[in-house]
Every structure is written in structure tokens, then in C-alpha cells.
Amino acid sequence: MKRAFPILGIVTAILLSYALCMALMPVTHIWIFTVGAPTEQTMGNVQRIFYYHVPSAWTAFILFFVNFAASVVYLIRRRPAADIVALVSAEVGVVFCTVVLITGPIWARPVWGIWWTWDVRLTSTLVLWLIYVSYLFLRRFSSSGQTPTLAAALAVLGALCVPFVYLSIRFFRTQHPQPVIGGGGSIDPRMLHVLLINWLAFSCFAYLVCWSRYRLEKLQRDVDEAHALESLLDPRGSVR
Amino acid sequence: MSGNGYLFAAYAATWIIHIAYLGTIVRRYSRLKREIEQLKKSGTRS
């Protein structure tokens, strides 16, 4: 297990570099590989934000789903490991959702002429982000013994927002484009290749970060337990 | 800002967010390491 971490780290770094090269090669004119993502005809190079924006959104959705599954397991079985997985996936999911909410307006400004509009997709994504930020606030600032249970309940309700965000562009008329995969839209196979490579790279990166964060959280809980034990024992080692 | 300016701004923002988060993990880890050392010291004293 200890050896797998650096190996996965190296694989992730290679994947991220490869994905970045594939997305940006035609812009920088530094051709490391012969194939790169072609330039979109209407939007030009700014469309390449797509290769970071969309994989970040998919990764955030997967992490929120993991948070939901772990929260359900915690509510049923009360396993501390499930609670840690729920916390970690929500935290990393919020980071990826933040990337979506930052790169989206940067893409919208040159294409739509505005940074933000209160349309269903954008607003529901912001609400989703706020739900998980409040989940993290609850975990951070509540000192009650019931905090993991309350947080798990909030996570289960918050997860209902994820399919709404995903499907909102199908059910409502929005300014946001329709999905390129499974939504009736078409995409150049070279663009799809770069998109999937970026998604794979971001998924590996998210897994690596979650793994580090899980180990850190577990260690933190062990240390807290040791502190509690220490405060119960007197210097001679007997219970007060 | 040109199209390329927006493109590089988005990519830079993405990595700034990820690196900032990784920074908080590293900071928390070093604080925890100090706590563990203190615990070990207090353990050996008693």
C-alpha cells in the first residue's frame, strides 16, 4: 500500500502533463505529440477551457456521489471509516466544484459577453457548492458528538441536488450548452479523446488527494484519541 | 483580454486552487507531526 502511493503519484503527474499538452499544444505551438485537440471554429482557443471545466465538474459529481454513499453507510452501520470517506470526498469535491465555478465565468465572459447569469444550471451549481460548503462548516465548527450523524443526514439531502444540476440543462431552457455526451450533441473524436484523457488525469489526481487526506484525517483522530487518553491518566500512569 | 488570455487565466486559476488546497493539507500534516512529537515527549517523561 505504501509503495502504491508514489507509483500512483508518478502516473498521475504523467497523465496530467500529457493531458495539458494535448489541450494546449496548438496554442503554444510546442508540438510534443503529433495529435492535439483541434481549435473550435466559433469560439477559437477559449473553447479549450472545456478540457478543464467539464472534467472538473464530472469529478466533483463523482466525489459528491461517494460522499452520499459513505454517508448512507455511516447512518446504517456507524463505521468511523465511512465518516472519514464522507468528509474527505466532500472536501475534495468542493475544491473541484470551486474550479467549475471559477472556470465557467472565465469561459462565459468572451463567449456570452457576461461573467454570470442566474440561469438554472449556473444557479443550481452555486447552490450545490453552498450545500457542501455548509456541510464542511458543520464538520469544522460543531463540537457535538452528533456532528457526524447530522452531517451525514445533510449529505444525503444535499446529494439530491447533484442529479438536478446534471439534468437541469435537459429540463429547462438555459444559456448553458447542452451535454456533448449522451445529450444529443456531437463532438470531434480528437476533442473527445483529449476530454477523456483530462478526466482520467483529474480522477487519478482526485483519488490521490483523497487518499492523502484520508490518511491525514485518520492520523488526526488517533492523535485526538491519544490526547484524550493522556488527559485521563496522571503522570504515574494510573487513571484519575 | 484576448481569447488566449481567458484560456490561460482559467488554467492558472485551476492550478492555483488545487495548489492552495494541497498547501492546506501539507500545513495540517506538519502541525500534526509536531503534535505527535509532543505526545511522544510527554509519554517518555511519564
Side-chain angles (χ1 to χ4, degrees), chain A residues 204-223:
Chain A
C204 287
F205 178 65
Y207 181 72
L208 206 65
V209 175
C210 285
W211 190 350
S212 315
R213 186 65 189 85
Y214 179 90
R215 283 164 63 177
L216 179 70
E217 186 62 28
K218 202 165 177 313
L219 198 63
Q220 177 72 64
R221 289 183 187 202
D222 290 345
V223 168

Side-chain angles (χ1 to χ4, degrees), chain A residues 163-180:
Chain A
F164 179 78
V165 173
Y166 185 73
L167 298 170
S168 59
I169 44 177
R170 292 170 197 233
F171 297 144
F172 298 93
R173 186 175 293 180
T174 73
Q175 193 146 357
H176 193 280
Q178 288 299 306
V180 284

Side-chain angles (χ1 to χ4, degrees), chain A residues 7 35 66 73 97 115 119 136 193 198 220:
Chain A
I7 293 170
V35 197
V66 172
V73 170
C97 200
W115 293 100
D119 105 339
L136 295 178
H193 173 74
N198 270 284
Q220 177 72 64

